[in-house]
Amino acid sequence: MEKLAVVRGQKGLELTVSSVERDAGGFLTIKGQLENTSDSAAAISSQTSGDETEVMKHGSSFGGATLVDAVGKKRYYVLRDTDGRPLTTTGISVLSPKAAAAVFLQFPAPPTSTTEVSFQLPTFEPATLKLS
């Protein structure tokens, strides 16, 4: 798996970003793997779901993630479907020791002139992602 960025969270959690892809429909999809590097079970903070009522009512997710385009001075939020569900991996609340889970997050794509963004997920350190 390619490692475009590794962001560390609480309790031994690490998110490895393996792909950042724009598609023709105007979306940007981030894929990676969330891993518990510790020797004990790690709870995923409810903060990763964000604080929007519409997103929170659908359970645990990565709906609190954002992309920040510092040059264009814009912040992009995780997309939602017509029922308000975030277009991210959902349902991960605890990872067993040394366990991993595939994750994805979908955002509106920044303009093609934007070549890098800051990826921010609550309780994890930020990471700069290159866009092509």
Side-chain angles (χ1 to χ4, degrees), residues 1-8 12-19 30-37 62 89 92 95 98-105 119 121 124:
M1 173 176 60
E2 190 172 356
K3 290 184 179 185
L4 301 178
V6 177
V7 293
R8 289 173 179 75
L13 292 172
E14 288 185 1
L15 176 61
T16 300
V17 176
S18 58
S19 73
I30 295 174
K31 293 180 183 174
Q33 182 169 284
L34 181 66
E35 183 177 3
N36 177 0
T37 63
F62 297 101
T89 301
I92 301 173
L95 270 182
K98 308 298 183 198
V103 297
F104 82 95
L105 305 98
F119 171 70
L121 179 63
F124 286 75

Side-chain angles (χ1 to χ4, degrees), residues 79-131:
L79 291 168
R80 289 143 187 79
D81 69 11
T82 55
D83 293 325
R85 288 184 195 89
L87 298 182
T88 74
T89 301
T90 59
I92 301 173
S93 56
V94 176
L95 270 182
S96 301
K98 308 298 183 198
V103 297
F104 82 95
L105 305 98
Q106 199 164 46
F107 297 89
T112 54
S113 59
T114 300
T115 57
E116 72 177 32
V117 291
S118 174
F119 171 70
Q120 300 177 350
L121 179 63
T123 74
F124 286 75
E125 60 194 13
T128 299
L129 300 177
K130 302 281 185 204
L131 305 180

Side-chain angles (χ1 to χ4, degrees), residues 17-59:
V17 176
S18 58
S19 73
V20 179
E21 297 178 5
R22 294 178 192 262
D23 70 20
F27 304 114
L28 181 85
T29 302
I30 295 174
K31 293 180 183 174
Q33 182 169 284
L34 181 66
E35 183 177 3
N36 177 0
T37 63
S38 76
D39 292 324
S40 57
I44 312 302
S45 172
S46 62
Q47 293 176 339
T48 62
S49 297
D51 57 7
E52 292 182 44
T53 307
E54 192 65 26
V55 172
M56 289 173 42
K57 74 180 185 182
H58 295 290

